[in-house]
Amino acid sequence: MAEERSQWNSRFGFLMAMIGSAVGLGNIWRFPNVIYYNGGGSFLIPYIVALFILGISFVMVEYALGYRFKSSVGKILYSIHNKLEPIGWVILVIIFLILSYYVCVIGWDLIYFVLSFSQGWGADPSTFFASGVLQASDGLEGIFSFVPWVLISVIVVWATIYTITRSKLDKGIEAVSKILIPLLVVMVIIIVAFSLTLPGAFIGVTQLVTPNWAALTNFDVWLAAFGQIVFSLSLGMAIAITYSSYLPEGSKLVDSALTVVFSNSTFEVFNSFGVFAILGFMSLTSGIAINSLITEGSYMGMAFIVFPQVFNVMGFGAYIIGPLFFGCILFAGITSAIALVEPISATITEKFNIKRSISATIVCGLGFLVSLLFTTQAGLFILTIFDSFLNNFALLLTIVIECIIFGWIYNFDNLIETMNEYSTIKLGKIWKFVIKFALPICILIFWISGIQSTILAADLTSQLIMLGLSLVIIIVPIILSILPAKNEKYYDVIDEI
């Protein structure tokens, strides 16, 4: 007999878990960098457009599918058409690979969280990060040499994730999210409030919000806005599908989806004021212009190099703000990581009829083994390739495919009916047009751009690693689809199209 499907104990628990899945590392250090280098205050215009066209629209699809089918992504796609199950496994393999290096970045942050109490990064944070923490090589040299502290921190992070995800939904993910997300919000409010009182804070905030209207005619700025929404809301990762499948009957889907999306965007915009207020303080005290403090694309550098430099000159307040800052990244990373485990674990549980604790053990165990790659001296080099390929190419392609499947193969009117049934706010035919036409075209353009910037511009070693990732993403899903289900109901069609 298949294990009984879990269910959220409360709407608040569901919302905290969903917000936790969306609010991650990218909200805290990626978004401020993106908005600064793409027009400042004027970037909010393409950002809001992308939020409505891409963010809200696709999140609604995932909510409707999970709630209507009450199943994992693999079974949902099989129910739509029995040849589509491999697509579900492709999505899961991609997010598994993302999870494997995401945990390593959380591990770096754990190291810095501990160091922040004593400013253990020393007087030269840049050298310390590259040579002291990562012991990074320029290529694959050192791939068989583990970095002890990174390895230990990754073990601790994986052990934490495993403890949470192997537990029942209400005792694990829901209970942890109810604690960590409100605590994260309080910590960010404290950081922003303190940051705005620093000398020079206004310099940073002015740099952040000053609009560059000419940027609105730059195609790359619009691509950056859509990319941020994909990254920030974890679109295409089946998290919303899985989480919404645990909702009880009578749930207000549209209301919940809008709450999560706008909470996520509000968080990252609000957090940006604190980040740039701190950078303004650094600029004033060091005499270095803000555009020299941060380098385009250097999201990791901002967290692990620039901010330690700021804390070094901040005085006593750094011993409070430093731990809060790295604590925020740690909490946000953990809640996002457990959200990445859940869709994979849920699908394994449903198809192969095993307990939740066993599927979580399989996912976390295999994930840890892959993560070992990133705990070596070649870890940063490999991680950078994984990150660019999986996010700029593989994940975007699956979003386009999902739009085609859910917009054209499945009867989309069923999803409109599902979303509107109990919701206060109703959806109309515009949503259908966006999913069938506007969204896949926009993402396809972004995907083509990603091919150029990610694959064609890469060196031979990077291209070979990307080829290896491509083979894994193709072969493993085929094998998992061919394996017979141990759950006798797995092949039942849930909803006629």
Side-chain angles (χ1 to χ4, degrees), residues 131-435:
S131 302
V133 175
L134 303 185
Q135 300 176 24
S137 63
D138 293 330
L140 293 178
E141 299 84 4
I143 193 171
F144 298 111
S145 300
F146 291 105
V147 182
W149 284 111
V150 175
L151 176 60
I152 292 171
S153 66
V154 166
I155 291 173
V156 171
V157 173
W158 268 119
T160 303
I161 294 169
Y162 172 65
T163 302
I164 297 170
T165 55
R166 74 180 303 275
S167 305
K168 290 184 178 180
L169 188 69
D170 58 335
K171 303 293 185 183
I173 294 175
E174 183 170 359
V176 169
S177 298
K178 281 173 157 180
I179 296 171
L180 291 189
I181 297 306
L183 187 57
L184 176 62
V185 171
V186 171
M187 291 166 70
V188 168
I189 291 174
I190 294 172
I191 290 174
V192 173
F194 176 83
S195 302
L196 292 174
T197 66
L198 293 171
F202 186 70
I203 297 173
V205 173
T206 301
Q207 287 273 6
L208 174 66
V209 301
T210 300
N212 174 14
W213 299 112
L216 295 180
T217 61
N218 187 338
F219 182 68
D220 289 338
V221 171
W222 290 84
L223 287 181
F226 277 82
Q228 176 61 26
I229 293 298
V230 171
F231 191 91
S232 178
L233 289 173
S234 303
L235 300 181
M237 295 185 179
I239 295 171
I241 290 177
T242 306
Y243 277 7
S244 60
S245 73
Y246 301 142
L247 282 169
E249 290 298 321
S251 297
K252 296 181 178 181
L253 298 182
V254 177
D255 304 50
S256 296
L258 292 176
T259 299
V260 170
V261 170
F262 287 123
S263 295
N264 176 74
S265 294
T266 300
F267 178 93
E268 61 185 11
V269 172
F270 180 73
N271 173 73
S272 297
F273 282 88
V275 169
F276 270 84
I278 292 174
L279 291 176
F281 165 78
M282 180 63 176
S283 178
L284 179 67
T285 55
S286 66
I288 301 173
I290 288 181
N291 59 0
S292 297
L293 289 174
I294 53 178
T295 304
E296 187 169 8
S298 181
Y299 312 128
M300 296 176 190
M302 180 183 284
F304 300 122
I305 297 174
V306 175
F307 272 83
Q309 290 173 340
V310 174
F311 297 143
N312 280 350
V313 298
M314 188 178 284
F316 178 76
Y319 294 98
I320 299 173
I321 298 302
L324 283 175
F325 175 75
F326 290 111
C328 282
I329 297 176
L330 183 63
F331 288 174
I334 291 293
T335 55
S336 294
I338 60 178
L340 290 171
V341 171
E342 188 63 19
I344 312 169
S345 178
T347 304
I348 293 173
T349 295
E350 187 165 35
K351 178 166 185 175
F352 299 108
N353 196 24
I354 58 179
K355 293 182 179 180
R356 177 188 182 90
S357 57
I358 297 176
S359 64
T361 302
I362 294 171
V363 175
C364 293
L366 292 176
F368 170 69
L369 293 178
V370 178
S371 292
L372 290 177
L373 279 173
F374 312 110
T375 65
T376 66
Q377 292 177 359
L380 179 61
F381 176 76
I382 301 172
L383 187 151
T384 303
I385 297 169
F386 269 56
D387 182 53
S388 60
F389 177 78
L390 294 171
N391 281 289
N392 297 341
F393 178 78
L395 188 59
L396 290 178
L397 181 58
T398 63
I399 293 177
V400 173
I401 293 172
E402 288 178 69
C403 285
I404 294 172
I405 293 172
F406 304 139
W408 293 91
I409 299 176
Y410 183 70
N411 183 357
F412 196 82
D413 290 337
N414 288 348
L415 300 185
I416 296 177
E417 176 187 328
T418 298
M419 291 299 292
N420 288 342
E421 187 174 6
Y422 300 105
S423 300
T424 304
I425 303 169
K426 306 296 182 182
L427 300 177
K429 299 296 182 181
I430 295 179
W431 182 41
K432 183 176 181 178
F433 171 81
V434 169
I435 296 300

Side-chain angles (χ1 to χ4, degrees), residues 25-219:
L25 307 184
N27 301 72
I28 296 175
W29 78 56
R30 187 181 194 272
F31 181 74
N33 196 299
V34 171
I35 191 173
Y36 176 74
Y37 276 102
N38 290 279
S42 59
F43 177 75
L44 291 178
I45 295 175
Y47 175 78
I48 292 171
V49 171
L51 181 68
F52 279 88
I53 292 180
L54 173 57
I56 294 175
S57 298
F58 200 81
V59 165
M60 296 286 190
V61 171
E62 294 187 310
Y63 269 54
L65 286 165
Y67 183 80
R68 186 176 184 89
F69 283 85
K70 292 287 192 292
S71 290
S72 62
V73 64
K75 182 170 172 56
I76 289 173
L77 287 165
Y78 178 87
S79 294
I80 293 175
H81 194 286
N82 59 11
K83 302 296 184 184
L84 294 177
E85 185 187 355
I87 301 298
W89 288 108
V90 166
I91 296 169
L92 297 175
V93 169
I94 290 172
I95 64 175
F96 172 81
L97 293 171
I98 291 174
L99 172 67
S100 68
Y101 72 78
Y102 192 82
V103 166
C104 191
V105 179
I106 301 172
W108 299 346
D109 178 74
L110 177 59
I111 293 173
Y112 272 77
F113 175 71
V114 175
L115 293 173
S116 65
F117 290 94
S118 63
Q119 296 185 2
W121 45 72
D124 187 0
S126 179
T127 301
F128 179 80
F129 178 60
S131 302
V133 175
L134 303 185
Q135 300 176 24
S137 63
D138 293 330
L140 293 178
E141 299 84 4
I143 193 171
F144 298 111
S145 300
F146 291 105
V147 182
W149 284 111
V150 175
L151 176 60
I152 292 171
S153 66
V154 166
I155 291 173
V156 171
V157 173
W158 268 119
T160 303
I161 294 169
Y162 172 65
T163 302
I164 297 170
T165 55
R166 74 180 303 275
S167 305
K168 290 184 178 180
L169 188 69
D170 58 335
K171 303 293 185 183
I173 294 175
E174 183 170 359
V176 169
S177 298
K178 281 173 157 180
I179 296 171
L180 291 189
I181 297 306
L183 187 57
L184 176 62
V185 171
V186 171
M187 291 166 70
V188 168
I189 291 174
I190 294 172
I191 290 174
V192 173
F194 176 83
S195 302
L196 292 174
T197 66
L198 293 171
F202 186 70
I203 297 173
V205 173
T206 301
Q207 287 273 6
L208 174 66
V209 301
T210 300
N212 174 14
W213 299 112
L216 295 180
T217 61
N218 187 338
F219 182 68

